[in-house]
Amino acid sequence: MLRLNLEADGIEYNSCDWGLGGIRVEGLIPDRKLDESLPIKGSGVRKEQYLFIEVMATIVRINEAEAETALRFDDLTAEDLDTLEALITGRRITA
């Protein structure tokens, strides 16, 4: 699966895995707690097309031993879902 980049609080993280429901990233998001919501930007390039979403997400797991954070996407729009699906499947989004 394509690696998705995540930006939270101005810091970029690499994804470990992700899907339509959320994302798990390498690293701990500083000064954030379990069940806290925050704005994030997820982005990736698929078939030479740069795609991104800007959404709210909730921290659902903080694994300090593995230095990973998992977040659940909150209230995705149809457009956000289309973008994530395009990143997963490789289909192009046409404007």
Side-chain angles (χ1 to χ4, degrees):
M1 179 182 281
L2 170 75
R3 290 194 99 169
L4 193 67
N5 297 317
L6 173 88
E7 183 180 318
D9 296 334
I11 301 171
E12 289 193 14
Y13 300 88
N14 290 321
S15 64
C16 300
D17 58 60
W18 59 276
L20 296 178
I23 184 169
R24 181 171 54 99
V25 297
E26 299 169 349
L28 302 174
I29 300 174
D31 303 319
R32 296 291 185 163
K33 301 177 184 85
L34 196 61
D35 296 323
E36 186 174 357
S37 291
L38 65 152
I40 63 166
K41 179 179 179 180
S43 63
V45 176
R46 188 71 154 185
K47 294 191 174 180
E48 300 176 11
Q49 187 176 27
Y50 174 78
L51 301 168
F52 71 94
I53 61 170
E54 292 184 77
V55 299
M56 293 297 291
T58 300
I59 297 174
V60 294
R61 188 172 60 250
I62 298 171
N63 184 334
E64 292 187 17
E66 299 292 326
E68 295 177 345
T69 304
L71 301 104
R72 176 188 69 236
F73 299 132
D74 297 337
D75 301 323
L76 294 177
T77 65
E79 184 179 330
D80 295 332
L81 287 169
D82 284 347
T83 300
L84 286 170
E85 183 183 1
L87 284 163
I88 291 169
T89 65
R91 74 170 173 76
R92 292 189 63 83
I93 294 179
T94 55

